Amino acid sequence: MPDQFTASLPYILLATGAGILGSVISLFWNPSVTIRSAIQHFAAGAVLAAVAASIIPEVEQIGTLPGIVGGFVAGGLLMMVLKWLVIRFERQGNQKKNLPVGLASAAAVDTLIDGALISAGFSANDQLGALLAIALSLELLFLTLSVGVEFREGKFPWWQSLVVTGGIALLLLVGAFGAGFLLADVPETTLAVVLSFGAAALIYLIAEELLVENVQAEESIFSTATLFIGFLALLILKLLEPG
């Protein structure tokens, strides 16, 4: 997959770098709930645009109904199991001061899936892969920032936060390169299954992670506006694609 690797590598490194940047920022900055909400809304809008304007049209074009439905159901079931595990860890953690294992584990799984999804996007076409990488860079930046803030609020050593959040960011490389080799010569129908699986994971991400702070944040028109701004920004990138 030399050509695909060459095309995808800068974007994969961009997304990984965004995650590492979020790790470092969390060591020095603890944003208010309102600021977190605004960032979440923007990232959610961008990811939503990637699903609606890029993944779904591509899946419709190259996939079959059983494959699309099967991939989406499998992705949804996996994310529901993941949420159940996170809730279980959080309940145990409330009894004593523990590392935020549940949140960190969920972020790690999300990042692995994100990496695989970027590779699947590039396997389908370069434009889809690039848009997914840009949207998921924003998502990973917020994700590592959120995990880092949890460590900071829990009074854990800074190096623990950096090791965990940096490790989460690097998992995107693992997911991207692993999926890149596995998906190198698969038929388009298989790519459609993987993309459908990823679409379900991203919908979970939007509903259960990126917008969860909205429940706690004070009412803010600006936060709501950033949702549409994020969606519009990625949609414009999609519309500016050549051809």
Side-chain angles (χ1 to χ4, degrees), residues 39-240:
I39 296 172
Q40 287 170 327
H41 277 75
F42 184 88
V47 174
L48 182 60
V51 174
S54 297
I55 298 179
I56 299 303
E58 186 69 24
V59 163
E60 287 180 334
Q61 192 171 21
I62 67 176
T64 63
L65 180 60
I68 294 171
V69 173
F72 191 88
V73 170
L77 289 174
L78 175 64
M79 302 317 288
M80 285 189 283
V81 170
L82 180 62
K83 181 177 180 179
W84 177 80
L85 290 173
V86 169
I87 292 173
R88 187 175 180 182
F89 274 118
E90 286 178 345
R91 286 176 178 171
Q92 292 176 350
N94 287 336
Q95 299 173 4
K96 53 184 178 178
K97 185 180 178 181
N98 285 327
L99 292 172
V101 177
L103 177 61
S105 300
V109 174
D110 281 342
T111 306
L112 275 172
I113 293 174
D114 288 350
L117 191 54
I118 290 172
S119 282
F122 275 102
S123 295
N125 65 71
D126 289 347
Q127 290 79 13
L128 175 59
L131 283 172
L132 283 173
I134 292 170
L136 295 177
S137 295
L138 295 171
E139 175 257 318
L140 187 55
L141 172 66
F142 164 75
L143 205 56
T144 54
L145 176 61
S146 294
V147 176
V149 167
E150 288 290 325
F151 273 84
R152 186 174 180 180
E153 292 179 345
K155 308 297 183 183
F156 295 103
W158 66 268
W159 61 266
Q160 284 187 339
S161 173
L162 194 59
V163 167
V164 172
T165 54
I168 289 171
L170 292 175
L171 283 174
L172 187 132
L173 290 173
V174 177
F177 292 145
F181 284 103
L182 292 174
L183 301 175
D185 298 311
V186 300
E188 288 187 334
T189 51
T190 302
L191 286 177
V193 174
V194 176
L195 289 170
S196 298
F197 180 97
L202 292 181
I203 289 172
Y204 166 87
L205 175 74
I206 294 168
E208 299 292 338
E209 291 185 19
L210 291 177
L211 296 181
V212 70
E213 291 280 352
N214 187 46
V215 177
Q216 303 173 9
E218 61 184 74
E219 294 181 4
S220 171
I221 295 176
F222 175 70
S223 292
T224 304
T226 56
L227 175 70
F228 294 99
I229 293 170
F231 187 99
L232 182 60
L234 208 77
L235 181 60
I236 290 172
L237 289 178
K238 168 69 175 177
L239 295 175
L240 289 176

Side-chain angles (χ1 to χ4, degrees), residues 3-19:
D3 292 339
Q4 179 192 326
F5 178 81
T6 302
S8 64
L9 182 59
Y11 292 95
I12 293 170
L13 294 177
L14 170 68
T16 304

